[in-house]
Amino acid sequence: MPSHAVLATVADQPGALHDLTRVLAAHQANISYVDIIRHRDRDPQIYVEFSTEQPLDPLVAEMRALTAVKALDSTASFAKIYGKRIVIMGGGAQVGQVALGAIAEADRHNIRGERISVDTIPLVGEQNLAAAVRAVVLLPRVRLLVLAGSLMGGDITRAVEEVRAQGLRVISLNMAGSVPDAADLVVSDPVQAGVMAVMAVADTARFDILRQEKRRY
């Protein structure tokens, strides 16, 4: 079904989200993503991505007529603007080098019509990293995780196994610890790891990470 997105500015009161989703359900729309954006000095906003085969204009008009809605605009979806996401986490120096390769490679594909964005988070500590790995699958549009560091194991390894079981692909730098054994692919050069991460998710690249599974480079 055709996909759409709307951004509604609403009154800060109970029931605003319910009112919007009720209209979508009445128009047989399937909601794929919802985000609530709260501001310190102005009214909150609700962003909704959905798909429907019914005409969009009557649906939007009905939303605008809701009492709780102060303004509503149709907008491009995050998938169209930001596209697929790659998340890089670990030690700051290694994360920076992986990002260098990923951003350069993403630029090459994005000018050919792709939409690939790169997110980074320097983190230290087993529990911090394990929690961050588990949380990646809760983020929208994330297609691949790169773990960049010099030593990772223990609960981080268990977290990697959990997210891989949920379908997330994981690339690890060649480091001490048990994380490399749990990852889909191990790459020694951090810049090359970033390049290969982008190639693995790009439709404009001929690189199948499944064919490289459990290899080390």
Side-chain angles (χ1 to χ4, degrees):
M1 292 189 291
S3 58
H4 310 280
V6 294
L7 181 64
T9 302
V10 298
D12 195 1
Q13 65 184 42
L17 178 61
H18 172 267
D19 290 345
L20 290 169
T21 55
R22 177 173 50 79
V23 172
L24 289 166
H27 286 260
Q28 311 268 318
N30 185 38
I31 299 171
S32 55
Y33 179 68
V34 176
D35 193 12
I36 299 174
I37 308 116
R38 302 197 67 87
H39 306 282
R40 272 192 235 171
D41 53 352
R42 52 196 174 98
D43 292 317
Q45 294 177 298
I46 299 176
Y47 169 82
V48 186
E49 290 182 6
F50 60 93
S51 55
T52 179
E53 292 179 339
Q54 296 193 13
L56 184 63
D57 289 344
L59 186 154
V60 170
E62 192 170 335
M63 281 182 164
R64 285 195 179 116
L66 293 170
T67 304
V69 174
K70 297 188 174 184
L72 186 138
D73 297 300
S74 296
T75 183
S77 69
F78 286 162
K80 290 181 180 177
I81 298 171
Y82 293 108
K84 308 159 190 169
R85 296 170 72 183
I86 293 170
V87 175
I88 307 165
M89 66 176 66
Q94 293 96 330
V95 165
Q97 290 300 299
V98 175
L100 183 68
I103 292 168
E105 183 69 11
D107 181 65
R108 189 171 74 86
H109 292 280
N110 287 348
I111 61 176
R112 295 158 63 192
E114 280 275 6
R115 285 293 183 271
I116 300 171
S117 54
V118 179
D119 297 339
T120 64
I121 176 167
L123 278 176
V124 294
E126 179 181 345
Q127 296 308 315
N128 288 338
L129 278 162
V133 169
R134 291 186 173 100
V136 165
V137 292
L138 304 177
L139 299 173
R141 308 181 327 279
V142 174
R143 301 290 286 275
L144 193 143
L145 169 66
V146 183
L147 289 171
S150 56
L151 170 63
M152 292 187 193
D155 196 33
I156 305 170
T157 301
R158 290 187 287 275
V160 169
E161 292 167 346
E162 290 170 17
V163 297
R164 286 188 68 236
Q166 296 177 64
L168 181 69
R169 296 298 169 192
V170 180
I171 292 177
S172 169
L173 293 189
N174 195 8
M175 67 179 85
S178 54
V179 159
D181 295 330
D184 290 283
L185 179 65
V186 180
V187 184
S188 298
D189 180 4
V191 175
Q192 184 64 24
V195 171
M196 295 176 82
V198 171
M199 291 176 63
V201 304
D203 294 329
T204 50
R206 295 184 179 180
F207 177 79
D208 187 352
I209 194 172
L210 295 178
R211 297 180 65 180
Q212 308 298 320
E213 192 168 5
K214 296 303 179 182
R215 293 192 180 184
R216 292 181 180 238
Y217 293 98

Short mmCIF file of all heavy atoms in Angstrom, two decimals, residues 159-182:
data_model
loop_
_atom_site.label_atom_id
_atom_site.label_comp_id
_atom_site.label_asym_id
_atom_site.label_seq_id
_atom_site.Cartn_x
_atom_site.Cartn_y
_atom_site.Cartn_z
N ALA A 159 24.35 -10.04 24.32
CA ALA A 159 23.47 -9.06 23.68
C ALA A 159 23.56 -9.16 22.15
O ALA A 159 22.55 -9.07 21.45
CB ALA A 159 23.83 -7.64 24.13
N VAL A 160 24.78 -9.35 21.63
CA VAL A 160 24.95 -9.52 20.18
C VAL A 160 24.18 -10.74 19.70
O VAL A 160 23.50 -10.71 18.67
CB VAL A 160 26.45 -9.64 19.83
CG1 VAL A 160 26.62 -10.09 18.38
CG2 VAL A 160 27.15 -8.31 20.06
N GLU A 161 24.27 -11.84 20.42
CA GLU A 161 23.55 -13.06 20.03
C GLU A 161 22.05 -12.84 20.04
O GLU A 161 21.32 -13.33 19.17
CB GLU A 161 23.94 -14.21 20.96
CG GLU A 161 25.40 -14.65 20.80
CD GLU A 161 25.87 -15.56 21.92
OE1 GLU A 161 25.17 -15.63 22.96
OE2 GLU A 161 26.94 -16.18 21.76
N GLU A 162 21.57 -12.06 21.01
CA GLU A 162 20.13 -11.78 21.10
C GLU A 162 19.64 -10.95 19.91
O GLU A 162 18.60 -11.26 19.31
CB GLU A 162 19.82 -11.06 22.41
CG GLU A 162 19.98 -11.93 23.65
CD GLU A 162 19.90 -11.11 24.93
OE1 GLU A 162 19.41 -9.95 24.88
OE2 GLU A 162 20.34 -11.62 25.99
N VAL A 163 20.37 -9.90 19.56
CA VAL A 163 19.90 -9.04 18.47
C VAL A 163 20.06 -9.74 17.11
O VAL A 163 19.26 -9.52 16.20
CB VAL A 163 20.61 -7.67 18.47
CG1 VAL A 163 20.27 -6.90 19.74
CG2 VAL A 163 22.11 -7.79 18.27
N ARG A 164 21.07 -10.58 16.97
CA ARG A 164 21.22 -11.35 15.73
C ARG A 164 20.05 -12.32 15.58
O ARG A 164 19.56 -12.56 14.46
CB ARG A 164 22.54 -12.11 15.71
CG ARG A 164 23.75 -11.22 15.46
CD ARG A 164 25.01 -12.03 15.26
NE ARG A 164 24.96 -12.79 14.02
CZ ARG A 164 25.11 -14.12 13.95
NH1 ARG A 164 25.31 -14.83 15.04
NH2 ARG A 164 25.06 -14.72 12.78
N ALA A 165 19.58 -12.89 16.69
CA ALA A 165 18.43 -13.79 16.64
C ALA A 165 17.17 -13.05 16.21
O ALA A 165 16.22 -13.67 15.71
CB ALA A 165 18.23 -14.44 18.00
N GLN A 166 17.16 -11.73 16.39
CA GLN A 166 16.01 -10.91 15.97
C GLN A 166 16.18 -10.35 14.56
O GLN A 166 15.37 -9.55 14.11
CB GLN A 166 15.81 -9.77 16.97
CG GLN A 166 15.45 -10.23 18.37
CD GLN A 166 15.33 -9.09 19.35
OE1 GLN A 166 14.46 -8.21 19.21
NE2 GLN A 166 16.19 -9.06 20.35
N GLY A 167 17.25 -10.77 13.88
CA GLY A 167 17.42 -10.40 12.48
C GLY A 167 18.37 -9.26 12.20
O GLY A 167 18.55 -8.89 11.05
N LEU A 168 18.99 -8.68 13.24
CA LEU A 168 19.93 -7.58 13.03
C LEU A 168 21.30 -8.14 12.67
O LEU A 168 21.80 -9.05 13.33
CB LEU A 168 20.03 -6.72 14.28
CG LEU A 168 20.96 -5.50 14.19
CD1 LEU A 168 20.38 -4.45 13.25
CD2 LEU A 168 21.20 -4.89 15.57
N ARG A 169 21.93 -7.59 11.63
CA ARG A 169 23.27 -7.99 11.23
C ARG A 169 24.30 -7.20 12.04
O ARG A 169 24.12 -6.00 12.29
CB ARG A 169 23.48 -7.78 9.74
CG ARG A 169 22.58 -8.64 8.88
CD ARG A 169 22.86 -10.10 9.11
NE ARG A 169 21.86 -10.96 8.50
CZ ARG A 169 21.76 -12.25 8.74
NH1 ARG A 169 22.58 -12.81 9.60
NH2 ARG A 169 20.83 -12.99 8.16
N VAL A 170 25.40 -7.87 12.42
CA VAL A 170 26.41 -7.25 13.28
C VAL A 170 27.78 -7.47 12.66
O VAL A 170 28.17 -8.61 12.37
CB VAL A 170 26.38 -7.83 14.70
CG1 VAL A 170 27.46 -7.16 15.57
CG2 VAL A 170 25.00 -7.64 15.33
N ILE A 171 28.53 -6.37 12.49
CA ILE A 171 29.93 -6.43 12.08
C ILE A 171 30.77 -6.02 13.29
O ILE A 171 30.44 -5.06 13.99
CB ILE A 171 30.22 -5.49 10.90
CG1 ILE A 171 29.52 -6.02 9.63
CG2 ILE A 171 31.72 -5.37 10.65
CD1 ILE A 171 29.70 -5.12 8.42
N SER A 172 31.84 -6.74 13.54
CA SER A 172 32.74 -6.43 14.65
C SER A 172 34.14 -6.17 14.12
O SER A 172 34.58 -6.81 13.16
CB SER A 172 32.78 -7.61 15.64
OG SER A 172 33.83 -7.46 16.58
N LEU A 173 34.84 -5.24 14.76
CA LEU A 173 36.26 -5.12 14.50
C LEU A 173 36.97 -6.34 15.09
O LEU A 173 36.46 -6.99 16.00
CB LEU A 173 36.83 -3.85 15.13
CG LEU A 173 36.36 -2.50 14.55
CD1 LEU A 173 37.19 -1.38 15.15
CD2 LEU A 173 36.46 -2.47 13.04
N ASN A 174 38.12 -6.65 14.57
CA ASN A 174 38.91 -7.76 15.09
C ASN A 174 39.55 -7.31 16.40
O ASN A 174 40.52 -6.56 16.40
CB ASN A 174 39.98 -8.17 14.07
CG ASN A 174 40.58 -9.52 14.39
OD1 ASN A 174 40.10 -10.22 15.28
ND2 ASN A 174 41.60 -9.89 13.67
N MET A 175 38.99 -7.75 17.51
CA MET A 175 39.39 -7.27 18.83
C MET A 175 39.51 -8.43 19.80
O MET A 175 39.10 -9.55 19.51
CB MET A 175 38.37 -6.25 19.34
CG MET A 175 37.01 -6.86 19.65
SD MET A 175 35.81 -5.68 20.30
CE MET A 175 35.15 -4.99 18.79
N ALA A 176 40.07 -8.15 20.98
CA ALA A 176 40.11 -9.15 22.04
C ALA A 176 38.70 -9.35 22.61
O ALA A 176 37.86 -8.46 22.56
CB ALA A 176 41.07 -8.69 23.15
N GLY A 177 38.46 -10.53 23.17
CA GLY A 177 37.15 -10.84 23.73
C GLY A 177 36.35 -11.75 22.81
O GLY A 177 36.79 -12.13 21.72
N SER A 178 35.14 -12.08 23.24
CA SER A 178 34.33 -13.06 22.52
C SER A 178 33.33 -12.47 21.53
O SER A 178 32.67 -13.21 20.81
CB SER A 178 33.56 -13.93 23.54
OG SER A 178 32.81 -13.10 24.43
N VAL A 179 33.22 -11.14 21.48
CA VAL A 179 32.27 -10.52 20.55
C VAL A 179 32.55 -10.87 19.09
O VAL A 179 31.63 -11.17 18.33
CB VAL A 179 32.21 -8.99 20.76
CG1 VAL A 179 31.66 -8.27 19.53
CG2 VAL A 179 31.33 -8.67 21.96
N PRO A 180 33.82 -10.86 18.63
CA PRO A 180 34.06 -11.23 17.23
C PRO A 180 33.52 -12.61 16.86
O PRO A 180 33.04 -12.82 15.75
CB PRO A 180 35.59 -11.16 17.11
CG PRO A 180 35.99 -10.15 18.12
CD PRO A 180 35.06 -10.37 19.28
N ASP A 181 33.55 -13.56 17.81
CA ASP A 181 33.04 -14.90 17.52
C ASP A 181 31.52 -14.90 17.36
O ASP A 181 30.97 -15.79 16.71
CB ASP A 181 33.43 -15.86 18.65
CG ASP A 181 34.93 -16.07 18.73
OD1 ASP A 181 35.60 -16.00 17.68
OD2 ASP A 181 35.44 -16.29 19.85
N ALA A 182 30.85 -13.93 17.97
CA ALA A 182 29.39 -13.87 17.90
C ALA A 182 28.87 -13.06 16.73
O ALA A 182 27.70 -13.17 16.36
CB ALA A 182 28.83 -13.28 19.20
#
